[in-house]
Amino acid sequence: MKETKRTYAMPDNDMLTSCKTLVTHAREDFAELKKVDPTLTIAMVDKWDADVNSGLEDFSSLQTRSSISIATQQVATLMEECKDTIQLLYFHVEQEFVENPSIILDFGKRGAEKAKKNAEKMISLLSLVICTYEKPEINARLKLRFAADFKETLTSLKKRLTDAHVQQSLAKSSQPAETESRILRYNAIWAFTRKLSETAKIAFRNSYAKQQQYNLYDVPAAKKEAEDPKKEKPLDSVEE
């Protein structure tokens, strides 16, 4: 399925605010605009105005981002707790089994660095750690270094991270359809705004001040070339 993309580069709220400004001018100048475009009706302007207002009052995107942000922060917090716990475990394992350093590999030491950067890998690592810790010959020696409920601590940590990761995935999965619907609505608003802007340029071709009221300034999306210090960054584009 082809990804739905915005037809404008500025942030949504900036685009809607610009459109709202043009709505005000278009109502005042409706007669002049209609002379250039006879298909234009006040009902079309009313709908445009209503759609812009609806967009400005739509906080669902903020709610979606907030849900994702909260879930992501929870995962990040638990990941830090996991890192500390695993680091402590590895220290004691290496100290206790100094005569057999390969034991640390049974606790997943080779994959620890990757697990620190990925919640799914960390959950898998915790599963391996718990399984290895339960081995009688290993548990017998490590229980003197850890509290009696250390295994329960590991199990609880794994469950909390798993739950948080699930919530993060659910929050992210609710985003695509909601975002696509919004983009389609906002693209339609922007298309009508551009149409009015072009109409005004003809209607007020002898008035520079009026033309300026209908100019649209759209900030271009960042380009990879801009990362190259040898290349000049593009200036903000102006709809002519």
Side-chain angles (χ1 to χ4, degrees), residues 5-11 218-227 233-237:
K5 297 183 179 181
R6 288 171 173 78
T7 53
Y8 52 92
M10 69 179 79
D218 191 12
V219 180
K223 297 181 180 179
K224 292 183 179 179
E225 289 77 15
E227 298 174 0
K233 294 183 179 180
L235 297 175
D236 290 354
S237 61

Side-chain angles (χ1 to χ4, degrees), residues 16-54:
L16 292 168
T17 301
S18 296
C19 293
K20 185 62 179 177
T21 300
L22 262 70
V23 167
T24 302
H25 294 315
R27 287 192 181 283
E28 296 173 352
D29 303 326
F30 180 76
E32 288 81 358
L33 295 172
K34 190 172 179 62
K35 289 177 183 178
V36 176
D37 181 4
T39 66
L40 183 65
T41 65
I42 196 65
M44 293 167 65
V45 175
D46 287 341
K47 182 181 185 305
W48 176 40
D49 192 7
D51 289 344
V52 171
N53 289 336
S54 176

